């Protein structure tokens, strides 16, 4: 077995401690989330809490792909986090990534980052209509998303649970992206690509209307065009999402 490890420069002094956390990952650490797909655990590194994400073991084909043809999800998460920070986009501080490989391909991989305590995620804005300062947060989030687009960053997993939100001392909100392994980077993002990037966030028409209004203010583009395009893409996404969910339910029924 071969082990590939890369540390952020300011964390290389903790390589022994972090390697021990990864080695004992199966039995140690505090489980964070449900762990149904990828497993996330929390560890204490001196006075700091860190987050170690163990990616689901890939199937045989992906084992080969992730070793010889494409970067692993852990490596992409680490590298994309650094690109975000270089562009002054919020994300938990990247610490390291580990890859265990054999001649057959990638065995398992881990992404290690700062564990960020947040006040909410975008999901709360969807699920709790009377969440305090709901519209203020939503409009500031739209500014955050527009900034991503202006910098040519297409966050492919721009979905409700993947933006952490913290309220700053000045009353403004800060936004931090997580689940970073799927991104594209452009010199510029066409209108259709930007709208598609926002269509997975909420099924609520009133939220889409607020985001469209704020996006139009920032961009100078037609509010009507933004709303009509974004709402159509949102409706299409929701239809496909629930159709897929129903199909999975039927397939699980026949397996029983």
């Amino acid at each position: 077995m071969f082990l590939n490890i890369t540390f952020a420069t300011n964390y290389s002094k903790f390589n022994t401690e972090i390697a021990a956390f990864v080695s004992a990952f199966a039995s140690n650490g505090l489980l964070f989330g449900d762990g149904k797909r990828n497993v996330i655990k929390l560890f204490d590194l001196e006075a700091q809490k860190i987050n170690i994400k163990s990616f689901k073991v890939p199937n045989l084909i992906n084992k080969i792909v992730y070793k010889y043809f494409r970067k692993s999800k852990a490596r992409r998460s680490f590298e994309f986090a650094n690109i975000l920070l270089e562009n002054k986009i919020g994300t938990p501080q990247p610490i390291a990534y580990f890859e265990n490989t054999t001649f057959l391909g990638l065995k398992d991989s881990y992404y290690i980052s700062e564990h960020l305590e947040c006040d909410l995620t975008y999901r709360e804005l969807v699920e709790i209509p009377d969440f305090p300062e709901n519209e203020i947060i939503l409009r500031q989030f739209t500014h955050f998303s527009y900034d991503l687009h202006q910098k040519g960053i297409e966050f492919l997993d721009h979905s409700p649970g993947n933006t952490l939100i913290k309220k700053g001392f000045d009353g403004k909100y800060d936004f931090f992206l997580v689940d970073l392994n799927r991104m594209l980077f452009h010199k510029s993002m066409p209108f259709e690509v930007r709208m598609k990037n926002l269509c997975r966030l909420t099924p609520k028409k009133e939220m889409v209307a607020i985001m469209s209004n704020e996006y139009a203010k920032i961009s100078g583009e037609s509010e009507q065009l933004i709303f009509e395009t974004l709402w159509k893409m949102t409706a299409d996404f929701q239809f496909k999402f629930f159709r897929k969910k129903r199909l999975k339910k039927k397939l699980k029924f026949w397996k029983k």
Side-chain angles (χ1 to χ4, degrees):
M1 185 177 293
F2 307 94
L3 184 62
N4 178 32
I5 308 173
T6 297
F7 281 91
T9 305
N10 52 331
Y11 280 92
S12 57
K13 63 182 178 181
F14 297 112
N15 59 357
T16 302
E17 295 92 327
I18 293 172
F21 292 155
V22 173
S23 296
F25 185 85
S27 55
N28 292 348
L30 178 65
L31 183 66
F32 182 75
D34 57 26
K36 286 182 179 178
R37 186 174 181 183
N38 304 311
V39 180
I40 299 173
K41 287 188 174 182
L42 307 182
F43 293 82
D44 292 318
L45 182 66
E46 293 191 345
Q48 183 183 20
K49 195 171 289 295
I50 67 171
N51 178 312
I52 301 181
K53 182 175 186 177
S54 171
F55 288 92
K56 183 180 178 181
V57 176
N59 59 38
L60 181 58
I61 293 173
N62 283 338
K63 283 178 186 288
I64 298 169
V65 169
Y66 287 142
K67 179 171 182 179
Y68 297 105
F69 303 103
R70 193 180 183 198
K71 295 176 181 178
S72 72
K73 292 181 179 181
R75 180 175 175 178
R76 278 181 277 144
S77 297
F78 180 82
E79 292 181 353
F80 291 166
N82 281 294
I83 292 172
L84 290 179
L85 293 177
E86 286 167 9
N87 280 276
K88 295 181 169 49
I89 301 295
T91 192
Q93 185 69 36
I95 294 173
Y97 72 88
F98 284 56
E99 296 172 330
N100 288 317
T101 63
T102 67
F103 287 113
L104 292 175
L106 181 70
K107 183 175 179 291
D108 53 7
S109 62
Y110 303 83
Y111 173 54
I112 300 96
S113 65
E114 160 198 26
H115 182 70
L116 192 65
E117 297 289 350
C118 65
D119 297 315
L120 70 151
T121 68
Y122 186 99
R123 190 181 304 282
E124 278 71 45
L125 301 180
V126 179
E127 296 179 349
I128 309 172
D130 58 351
F131 193 93
E133 299 190 318
N134 187 304
E135 185 172 333
I136 292 172
I137 302 170
L138 188 57
R139 289 184 181 276
Q140 290 186 20
F141 171 81
T142 305
H143 278 255
F144 171 73
S145 293
Y146 180 74
D147 187 36
L148 281 175
H149 296 166
Q150 286 295 100
K151 291 171 179 174
I153 299 169
E154 186 180 359
F155 180 39
L156 296 174
D157 284 322
H158 207 22
S159 54
N162 287 342
T163 300
L164 311 183
I165 305 173
K166 286 176 67 74
K167 188 171 186 177
F169 295 111
D170 56 1
K172 291 185 179 179
Y173 289 87
D174 296 314
F175 303 89
F176 303 85
L177 298 181
V178 295
D179 203 357
L180 305 180
N181 66 88
R182 296 179 65 242
M183 287 191 185
L184 293 175
F185 301 94
H186 309 268
K187 288 185 178 178
S188 63
M189 288 176 68
F191 178 77
E192 295 283 328
V193 175
R194 287 183 278 128
M195 294 302 101
K196 187 176 181 182
N197 187 235
L198 300 173
C199 75
R200 299 175 59 187
L201 289 161
T202 176
K204 293 189 174 182
K205 200 169 188 176
E206 62 272 22
M207 292 181 71
V208 173
I210 291 170
M211 290 177 66
S212 299
N213 175 262
E214 195 64 27
Y215 202 99
K217 288 180 184 177
I218 310 163
S219 67
E221 295 165 319
S222 164
E223 181 178 347
Q224 182 178 350
L225 178 61
I226 293 171
F227 175 75
E228 288 177 354
T229 306
L230 181 53
W231 178 243
K232 182 181 184 305
M233 289 181 173
T234 298
D236 289 346
F237 170 77
Q238 292 295 322
F239 175 78
K240 291 174 184 176
F241 175 80
F242 285 105
R243 182 178 64 184
K244 186 177 180 181
K245 205 170 183 180
R246 288 193 298 270
L247 181 59
K248 280 186 176 179
K249 193 173 182 181
K250 287 180 181 178
L251 290 174
K252 286 182 179 178
F253 170 79
W254 288 111
K255 285 181 180 179
K256 291 179 181 179

mmCIF file of all heavy atoms in Angstrom, residues 31-70:
data_model
loop_
_atom_site.group_PDB
_atom_site.id
_atom_site.type_symbol
_atom_site.label_atom_id
_atom_site.label_comp_id
_atom_site.label_asym_id
_atom_site.label_seq_id
_atom_site.Cartn_x
_atom_site.Cartn_y
_atom_site.Cartn_z
ATOM 1 N N LEU A 31 -18.400 11.393 15.743
ATOM 2 C CA LEU A 31 -19.133 11.380 14.477
ATOM 3 C C LEU A 31 -19.916 12.676 14.306
ATOM 4 O O LEU A 31 -20.618 13.118 15.206
ATOM 5 C CB LEU A 31 -20.083 10.184 14.428
ATOM 6 C CG LEU A 31 -20.879 10.000 13.120
ATOM 7 C CD1 LEU A 31 -19.930 9.668 11.965
ATOM 8 C CD2 LEU A 31 -21.924 8.895 13.291
ATOM 9 N N PHE A 32 -19.799 13.265 13.114
ATOM 10 C CA PHE A 32 -20.508 14.503 12.792
ATOM 11 C C PHE A 32 -21.403 14.211 11.587
ATOM 12 O O PHE A 32 -20.924 13.838 10.536
ATOM 13 C CB PHE A 32 -19.512 15.622 12.476
ATOM 14 C CG PHE A 32 -20.143 16.949 12.175
ATOM 15 C CD1 PHE A 32 -20.676 17.724 13.202
ATOM 16 C CD2 PHE A 32 -20.219 17.431 10.875
ATOM 17 C CE1 PHE A 32 -21.257 18.955 12.931
ATOM 18 C CE2 PHE A 32 -20.792 18.664 10.601
ATOM 19 C CZ PHE A 32 -21.321 19.429 11.633
ATOM 20 N N GLY A 33 -22.714 14.373 11.764
ATOM 21 C CA GLY A 33 -23.647 14.041 10.689
ATOM 22 C C GLY A 33 -24.057 12.585 10.757
ATOM 23 O O GLY A 33 -23.717 11.860 11.696
ATOM 24 N N ASP A 34 -24.795 12.129 9.717
ATOM 25 C CA ASP A 34 -25.341 10.767 9.762
ATOM 26 C C ASP A 34 -24.369 9.704 9.251
ATOM 27 O O ASP A 34 -24.563 8.511 9.500
ATOM 28 C CB ASP A 34 -26.659 10.688 8.978
ATOM 29 C CG ASP A 34 -26.522 11.134 7.523
ATOM 30 O OD1 ASP A 34 -25.414 11.044 6.980
ATOM 31 O OD2 ASP A 34 -27.534 11.566 6.938
ATOM 32 N N GLY A 35 -23.342 10.093 8.515
ATOM 33 C CA GLY A 35 -22.346 9.131 8.051
ATOM 34 C C GLY A 35 -22.870 8.108 7.067
ATOM 35 O O GLY A 35 -22.279 7.037 6.895
ATOM 36 N N LYS A 36 -23.961 8.430 6.380
ATOM 37 C CA LYS A 36 -24.558 7.454 5.464
ATOM 38 C C LYS A 36 -23.702 7.219 4.222
ATOM 39 O O LYS A 36 -23.643 6.126 3.693
ATOM 40 C CB LYS A 36 -25.959 7.923 5.041
ATOM 41 C CG LYS A 36 -27.004 7.780 6.135
ATOM 42 C CD LYS A 36 -28.368 8.216 5.635
ATOM 43 C CE LYS A 36 -29.422 8.047 6.729
ATOM 44 N NZ LYS A 36 -30.768 8.504 6.276
ATOM 45 N N ARG A 37 -23.081 8.278 3.739
ATOM 46 C CA ARG A 37 -22.273 8.146 2.523
ATOM 47 C C ARG A 37 -20.806 8.354 2.846
ATOM 48 O O ARG A 37 -20.024 7.417 2.896
ATOM 49 C CB ARG A 37 -22.753 9.146 1.473
ATOM 50 C CG ARG A 37 -22.055 8.951 0.146
ATOM 51 C CD ARG A 37 -22.640 9.842 -0.923
ATOM 52 N NE ARG A 37 -21.973 9.626 -2.188
ATOM 53 C CZ ARG A 37 -22.242 10.305 -3.292
ATOM 54 N NH1 ARG A 37 -23.179 11.241 -3.282
ATOM 55 N NH2 ARG A 37 -21.587 10.050 -4.398
ATOM 56 N N ASN A 38 -20.427 9.595 3.066
ATOM 57 C CA ASN A 38 -19.075 9.902 3.532
ATOM 58 C C ASN A 38 -19.131 10.087 5.045
ATOM 59 O O ASN A 38 -20.121 10.576 5.570
ATOM 60 C CB ASN A 38 -18.567 11.179 2.865
ATOM 61 C CG ASN A 38 -18.610 11.086 1.347
ATOM 62 O OD1 ASN A 38 -18.135 10.102 0.768
ATOM 63 N ND2 ASN A 38 -19.189 12.089 0.708
ATOM 64 N N VAL A 39 -18.080 9.679 5.728
ATOM 65 C CA VAL A 39 -18.068 9.753 7.191
ATOM 66 C C VAL A 39 -17.209 10.936 7.627
ATOM 67 O O VAL A 39 -16.058 11.069 7.209
ATOM 68 C CB VAL A 39 -17.525 8.452 7.815
ATOM 69 C CG1 VAL A 39 -17.522 8.560 9.338
ATOM 70 C CG2 VAL A 39 -18.365 7.263 7.367
ATOM 71 N N ILE A 40 -17.786 11.794 8.473
ATOM 72 C CA ILE A 40 -17.054 12.950 9.001
ATOM 73 C C ILE A 40 -16.923 12.792 10.509
ATOM 74 O O ILE A 40 -17.899 12.506 11.206
ATOM 75 C CB ILE A 40 -17.783 14.269 8.681
ATOM 76 C CG1 ILE A 40 -17.890 14.462 7.167
ATOM 77 C CG2 ILE A 40 -17.072 15.457 9.322
ATOM 78 C CD1 ILE A 40 -18.728 15.651 6.761
ATOM 79 N N LYS A 41 -15.708 12.974 10.997
ATOM 80 C CA LYS A 41 -15.471 12.902 12.443
ATOM 81 C C LYS A 41 -14.680 14.122 12.896
ATOM 82 O O LYS A 41 -13.886 14.688 12.136
ATOM 83 C CB LYS A 41 -14.738 11.617 12.818
ATOM 84 C CG LYS A 41 -15.610 10.369 12.724
ATOM 85 C CD LYS A 41 -14.897 9.151 13.286
ATOM 86 C CE LYS A 41 -15.805 7.943 13.340
ATOM 87 N NZ LYS A 41 -15.113 6.764 13.927
ATOM 88 N N LEU A 42 -14.893 14.500 14.158
ATOM 89 C CA LEU A 42 -14.220 15.650 14.746
ATOM 90 C C LEU A 42 -13.131 15.185 15.709
ATOM 91 O O LEU A 42 -13.321 14.227 16.464
ATOM 92 C CB LEU A 42 -15.220 16.534 15.486
ATOM 93 C CG LEU A 42 -16.465 16.984 14.706
ATOM 94 C CD1 LEU A 42 -17.321 17.900 15.556
ATOM 95 C CD2 LEU A 42 -16.062 17.663 13.401
ATOM 96 N N PHE A 43 -12.002 15.898 15.669
ATOM 97 C CA PHE A 43 -10.874 15.599 16.552
ATOM 98 C C PHE A 43 -10.349 16.910 17.133
ATOM 99 O O PHE A 43 -10.474 17.968 16.507
ATOM 100 C CB PHE A 43 -9.746 14.909 15.768
ATOM 101 C CG PHE A 43 -10.084 13.535 15.268
ATOM 102 C CD1 PHE A 43 -10.810 13.374 14.090
ATOM 103 C CD2 PHE A 43 -9.686 12.403 15.959
ATOM 104 C CE1 PHE A 43 -11.122 12.107 13.604
ATOM 105 C CE2 PHE A 43 -9.993 11.130 15.495
ATOM 106 C CZ PHE A 43 -10.714 10.991 14.310
ATOM 107 N N ASP A 44 -9.755 16.830 18.313
ATOM 108 C CA ASP A 44 -9.148 18.005 18.949
ATOM 109 C C ASP A 44 -7.661 18.042 18.647
ATOM 110 O O ASP A 44 -6.923 17.102 18.979
ATOM 111 C CB ASP A 44 -9.371 17.968 20.462
ATOM 112 C CG ASP A 44 -10.836 18.169 20.822
ATOM 113 O OD1 ASP A 44 -11.481 19.040 20.210
ATOM 114 O OD2 ASP A 44 -11.347 17.445 21.701
ATOM 115 N N LEU A 45 -7.234 19.113 18.025
ATOM 116 C CA LEU A 45 -5.822 19.318 17.722
ATOM 117 C C LEU A 45 -5.372 20.525 18.537
ATOM 118 O O LEU A 45 -5.629 21.669 18.176
ATOM 119 C CB LEU A 45 -5.630 19.582 16.225
ATOM 120 C CG LEU A 45 -4.186 19.769 15.761
ATOM 121 C CD1 LEU A 45 -3.399 18.473 15.927
ATOM 122 C CD2 LEU A 45 -4.155 20.220 14.302
ATOM 123 N N GLU A 46 -4.748 20.230 19.682
ATOM 124 C CA GLU A 46 -4.431 21.262 20.663
ATOM 125 C C GLU A 46 -5.732 22.018 20.998
ATOM 126 O O GLU A 46 -6.717 21.416 21.385
ATOM 127 C CB GLU A 46 -3.316 22.174 20.154
ATOM 128 C CG GLU A 46 -1.984 21.451 20.036
ATOM 129 C CD GLU A 46 -0.815 22.364 19.790
ATOM 130 O OE1 GLU A 46 -1.011 23.534 19.423
ATOM 131 O OE2 GLU A 46 0.335 21.898 19.991
ATOM 132 N N ALA A 47 -5.772 23.335 20.793
ATOM 133 C CA ALA A 47 -6.974 24.091 21.169
ATOM 134 C C ALA A 47 -7.991 24.174 20.032
ATOM 135 O O ALA A 47 -9.063 24.754 20.196
ATOM 136 C CB ALA A 47 -6.579 25.511 21.596
ATOM 137 N N GLN A 48 -7.669 23.576 18.892
ATOM 138 C CA GLN A 48 -8.535 23.682 17.719
ATOM 139 C C GLN A 48 -9.273 22.377 17.453
ATOM 140 O O GLN A 48 -8.739 21.285 17.652
ATOM 141 C CB GLN A 48 -7.687 24.045 16.489
ATOM 142 C CG GLN A 48 -8.507 24.252 15.220
ATOM 143 C CD GLN A 48 -7.629 24.547 14.016
ATOM 144 O OE1 GLN A 48 -6.447 24.259 14.010
ATOM 145 N NE2 GLN A 48 -8.213 25.127 12.988
ATOM 146 N N LYS A 49 -10.517 22.498 16.995
ATOM 147 C CA LYS A 49 -11.277 21.322 16.574
ATOM 148 C C LYS A 49 -11.136 21.187 15.064
ATOM 149 O O LYS A 49 -11.324 22.150 14.328
ATOM 150 C CB LYS A 49 -12.755 21.461 16.957
ATOM 151 C CG LYS A 49 -13.518 20.127 16.885
ATOM 152 C CD LYS A 49 -14.901 20.259 17.481
ATOM 153 C CE LYS A 49 -14.877 20.420 18.992
ATOM 154 N NZ LYS A 49 -14.361 19.227 19.707
ATOM 155 N N ILE A 50 -10.756 19.991 14.629
ATOM 156 C CA ILE A 50 -10.614 19.775 13.198
ATOM 157 C C ILE A 50 -11.611 18.718 12.717
ATOM 158 O O ILE A 50 -12.136 17.926 13.495
ATOM 159 C CB ILE A 50 -9.170 19.385 12.812
ATOM 160 C CG1 ILE A 50 -8.803 18.006 13.371
ATOM 161 C CG2 ILE A 50 -8.190 20.453 13.264
ATOM 162 C CD1 ILE A 50 -7.473 17.476 12.839
ATOM 163 N N ASN A 51 -11.816 18.730 11.420
ATOM 164 C CA ASN A 51 -12.845 17.935 10.776
ATOM 165 C C ASN A 51 -12.151 17.002 9.778
ATOM 166 O O ASN A 51 -11.432 17.465 8.898
ATOM 167 C CB ASN A 51 -13.778 18.951 10.067
ATOM 168 C CG ASN A 51 -14.901 18.337 9.295
ATOM 169 O OD1 ASN A 51 -14.694 17.422 8.527
ATOM 170 N ND2 ASN A 51 -16.084 18.898 9.460
ATOM 171 N N ILE A 52 -12.340 15.693 9.926
ATOM 172 C CA ILE A 52 -11.746 14.732 8.987
ATOM 173 C C ILE A 52 -12.872 14.025 8.239
ATOM 174 O O ILE A 52 -13.742 13.411 8.841
ATOM 175 C CB ILE A 52 -10.849 13.705 9.703
ATOM 176 C CG1 ILE A 52 -9.717 14.420 10.457
ATOM 177 C CG2 ILE A 52 -10.279 12.708 8.699
ATOM 178 C CD1 ILE A 52 -8.757 13.486 11.168
ATOM 179 N N LYS A 53 -12.837 14.146 6.926
ATOM 180 C CA LYS A 53 -13.868 13.543 6.081
ATOM 181 C C LYS A 53 -13.279 12.341 5.367
ATOM 182 O O LYS A 53 -12.311 12.453 4.606
ATOM 183 C CB LYS A 53 -14.374 14.565 5.062
ATOM 184 C CG LYS A 53 -15.495 14.054 4.171
ATOM 185 C CD LYS A 53 -16.009 15.186 3.280
ATOM 186 C CE LYS A 53 -17.227 14.761 2.484
ATOM 187 N NZ LYS A 53 -17.764 15.886 1.671
ATOM 188 N N SER A 54 -13.869 11.171 5.629
ATOM 189 C CA SER A 54 -13.458 9.948 4.955
ATOM 190 C C SER A 54 -14.435 9.701 3.810
ATOM 191 O O SER A 54 -15.636 9.507 4.031
ATOM 192 C CB SER A 54 -13.490 8.771 5.942
ATOM 193 O OG SER A 54 -13.304 7.546 5.255
ATOM 194 N N PHE A 55 -13.925 9.734 2.591
ATOM 195 C CA PHE A 55 -14.799 9.550 1.440
ATOM 196 C C PHE A 55 -15.159 8.078 1.258
ATOM 197 O O PHE A 55 -14.360 7.185 1.560
ATOM 198 C CB PHE A 55 -14.136 10.085 0.172
ATOM 199 C CG PHE A 55 -14.074 11.588 0.135
ATOM 200 C CD1 PHE A 55 -12.960 12.260 0.620
ATOM 201 C CD2 PHE A 55 -15.131 12.334 -0.353
ATOM 202 C CE1 PHE A 55 -12.897 13.648 0.608
ATOM 203 C CE2 PHE A 55 -15.087 13.720 -0.365
ATOM 204 C CZ PHE A 55 -13.969 14.374 0.108
ATOM 205 N N LYS A 56 -16.350 7.857 0.763
ATOM 206 C CA LYS A 56 -16.824 6.500 0.501
ATOM 207 C C LYS A 56 -15.824 5.763 -0.386
ATOM 208 O O LYS A 56 -15.311 6.320 -1.356
ATOM 209 C CB LYS A 56 -18.192 6.554 -0.188
ATOM 210 C CG LYS A 56 -18.810 5.196 -0.448
ATOM 211 C CD LYS A 56 -20.161 5.347 -1.143
ATOM 212 C CE LYS A 56 -20.758 3.985 -1.448
ATOM 213 N NZ LYS A 56 -22.066 4.118 -2.149
ATOM 214 N N VAL A 57 -15.544 4.511 -0.047
ATOM 215 C CA VAL A 57 -14.601 3.720 -0.829
ATOM 216 C C VAL A 57 -15.145 3.564 -2.247
ATOM 217 O O VAL A 57 -16.280 3.126 -2.436
ATOM 218 C CB VAL A 57 -14.371 2.334 -0.190
ATOM 219 C CG1 VAL A 57 -13.459 1.487 -1.071
ATOM 220 C CG2 VAL A 57 -13.780 2.487 1.209
ATOM 221 N N PRO A 58 -14.375 3.963 -3.266
ATOM 222 C CA PRO A 58 -14.885 3.911 -4.636
ATOM 223 C C PRO A 58 -15.037 2.489 -5.161
ATOM 224 O O PRO A 58 -14.398 1.557 -4.654
ATOM 225 C CB PRO A 58 -13.826 4.687 -5.434
ATOM 226 C CG PRO A 58 -12.583 4.597 -4.626
ATOM 227 C CD PRO A 58 -13.019 4.524 -3.186
ATOM 228 N N ASN A 59 -15.908 2.348 -6.166
ATOM 229 C CA ASN A 59 -16.046 1.038 -6.798
ATOM 230 C C ASN A 59 -14.784 0.727 -7.615
ATOM 231 O O ASN A 59 -13.884 1.568 -7.741
ATOM 232 C CB ASN A 59 -17.305 0.967 -7.677
ATOM 233 C CG ASN A 59 -17.303 2.005 -8.787
ATOM 234 O OD1 ASN A 59 -16.261 2.285 -9.378
ATOM 235 N ND2 ASN A 59 -18.462 2.573 -9.078
ATOM 236 N N LEU A 60 -14.710 -0.475 -8.177
ATOM 237 C CA LEU A 60 -13.489 -0.935 -8.837
ATOM 238 C C LEU A 60 -13.038 -0.001 -9.962
ATOM 239 O O LEU A 60 -11.855 0.336 -10.072
ATOM 240 C CB LEU A 60 -13.695 -2.351 -9.392
ATOM 241 C CG LEU A 60 -12.480 -2.976 -10.092
ATOM 242 C CD1 LEU A 60 -11.289 -3.043 -9.135
ATOM 243 C CD2 LEU A 60 -12.827 -4.355 -10.629
ATOM 244 N N ILE A 61 -13.993 0.454 -10.774
ATOM 245 C CA ILE A 61 -13.634 1.345 -11.890
ATOM 246 C C ILE A 61 -13.088 2.664 -11.372
ATOM 247 O O ILE A 61 -12.055 3.157 -11.831
ATOM 248 C CB ILE A 61 -14.854 1.577 -12.805
ATOM 249 C CG1 ILE A 61 -15.231 0.266 -13.502
ATOM 250 C CG2 ILE A 61 -14.566 2.668 -13.831
ATOM 251 C CD1 ILE A 61 -16.509 0.337 -14.305
ATOM 252 N N ASN A 62 -13.793 3.240 -10.379
ATOM 253 C CA ASN A 62 -13.345 4.532 -9.832
ATOM 254 C C ASN A 62 -12.033 4.423 -9.062
ATOM 255 O O ASN A 62 -11.281 5.393 -8.975
ATOM 256 C CB ASN A 62 -14.436 5.140 -8.961
ATOM 257 C CG ASN A 62 -15.537 5.767 -9.792
ATOM 258 O OD1 ASN A 62 -15.330 6.110 -10.954
ATOM 259 N ND2 ASN A 62 -16.719 5.922 -9.214
ATOM 260 N N LYS A 63 -11.759 3.257 -8.491
ATOM 261 C CA LYS A 63 -10.455 3.059 -7.847
ATOM 262 C C LYS A 63 -9.332 3.337 -8.853
ATOM 263 O O LYS A 63 -8.343 4.019 -8.555
ATOM 264 C CB LYS A 63 -10.331 1.612 -7.340
ATOM 265 C CG LYS A 63 -11.071 1.283 -6.058
ATOM 266 C CD LYS A 63 -10.882 -0.185 -5.719
ATOM 267 C CE LYS A 63 -11.697 -0.634 -4.532
ATOM 268 N NZ LYS A 63 -11.209 -0.118 -3.271
ATOM 269 N N ILE A 64 -9.503 2.805 -10.058
ATOM 270 C CA ILE A 64 -8.500 2.984 -11.111
ATOM 271 C C ILE A 64 -8.501 4.426 -11.608
ATOM 272 O O ILE A 64 -7.443 5.049 -11.764
ATOM 273 C CB ILE A 64 -8.778 2.004 -12.273
ATOM 274 C CG1 ILE A 64 -8.661 0.556 -11.770
ATOM 275 C CG2 ILE A 64 -7.819 2.259 -13.434
ATOM 276 C CD1 ILE A 64 -9.176 -0.477 -12.742
ATOM 277 N N VAL A 65 -9.717 4.958 -11.830
ATOM 278 C CA VAL A 65 -9.844 6.332 -12.338
ATOM 279 C C VAL A 65 -9.176 7.320 -11.390
ATOM 280 O O VAL A 65 -8.400 8.189 -11.826
ATOM 281 C CB VAL A 65 -11.332 6.703 -12.526
ATOM 282 C CG1 VAL A 65 -11.496 8.200 -12.784
ATOM 283 C CG2 VAL A 65 -11.930 5.910 -13.684
ATOM 284 N N TYR A 66 -9.454 7.190 -10.066
ATOM 285 C CA TYR A 66 -8.942 8.165 -9.099
ATOM 286 C C TYR A 66 -7.447 8.010 -8.828
ATOM 287 O O TYR A 66 -6.839 8.906 -8.246
ATOM 288 C CB TYR A 66 -9.719 8.069 -7.787
ATOM 289 C CG TYR A 66 -11.112 8.641 -7.878
ATOM 290 C CD1 TYR A 66 -12.186 8.036 -7.224
ATOM 291 C CD2 TYR A 66 -11.380 9.782 -8.615
ATOM 292 C CE1 TYR A 66 -13.465 8.562 -7.294
ATOM 293 C CE2 TYR A 66 -12.659 10.317 -8.700
ATOM 294 C CZ TYR A 66 -13.694 9.699 -8.041
ATOM 295 O OH TYR A 66 -14.957 10.220 -8.126
ATOM 296 N N LYS A 67 -6.862 6.898 -9.248
ATOM 297 C CA LYS A 67 -5.402 6.792 -9.086
ATOM 298 C C LYS A 67 -4.655 7.245 -10.338
ATOM 299 O O LYS A 67 -3.640 7.951 -10.247
ATOM 300 C CB LYS A 67 -4.986 5.360 -8.745
ATOM 301 C CG LYS A 67 -3.462 5.258 -8.608
ATOM 302 C CD LYS A 67 -2.966 3.950 -8.073
ATOM 303 C CE LYS A 67 -1.441 3.993 -7.948
ATOM 304 N NZ LYS A 67 -0.894 2.732 -7.411
ATOM 305 N N TYR A 68 -5.184 6.857 -11.511
ATOM 306 C CA TYR A 68 -4.407 7.057 -12.726
ATOM 307 C C TYR A 68 -4.910 8.177 -13.652
ATOM 308 O O TYR A 68 -4.137 8.679 -14.464
ATOM 309 C CB TYR A 68 -4.354 5.747 -13.516
ATOM 310 C CG TYR A 68 -3.660 4.632 -12.774
ATOM 311 C CD1 TYR A 68 -4.390 3.596 -12.195
ATOM 312 C CD2 TYR A 68 -2.270 4.617 -12.634
ATOM 313 C CE1 TYR A 68 -3.761 2.561 -11.515
ATOM 314 C CE2 TYR A 68 -1.631 3.596 -11.951
ATOM 315 C CZ TYR A 68 -2.375 2.571 -11.386
ATOM 316 O OH TYR A 68 -1.749 1.568 -10.708
ATOM 317 N N PHE A 69 -6.171 8.555 -13.542
ATOM 318 C CA PHE A 69 -6.731 9.472 -14.536
ATOM 319 C C PHE A 69 -7.342 10.752 -13.957
ATOM 320 O O PHE A 69 -7.443 11.752 -14.664
ATOM 321 C CB PHE A 69 -7.807 8.758 -15.367
ATOM 322 C CG PHE A 69 -7.294 7.526 -16.063
ATOM 323 C CD1 PHE A 69 -7.585 6.267 -15.573
ATOM 324 C CD2 PHE A 69 -6.501 7.645 -17.196
ATOM 325 C CE1 PHE A 69 -7.105 5.126 -16.212
ATOM 326 C CE2 PHE A 69 -6.009 6.513 -17.843
ATOM 327 C CZ PHE A 69 -6.313 5.250 -17.350
ATOM 328 N N ARG A 70 -7.741 10.718 -12.717
ATOM 329 C CA ARG A 70 -8.415 11.884 -12.143
ATOM 330 C C ARG A 70 -8.011 12.043 -10.681
ATOM 331 O O ARG A 70 -7.764 11.050 -9.985
ATOM 332 C CB ARG A 70 -9.942 11.690 -12.231
ATOM 333 C CG ARG A 70 -10.724 12.956 -11.948
ATOM 334 C CD ARG A 70 -12.217 12.705 -12.050
ATOM 335 N NE ARG A 70 -12.964 13.942 -11.840
ATOM 336 C CZ ARG A 70 -14.246 13.990 -11.533
ATOM 337 N NH1 ARG A 70 -14.951 12.888 -11.411
ATOM 338 N NH2 ARG A 70 -14.842 15.151 -11.356
#
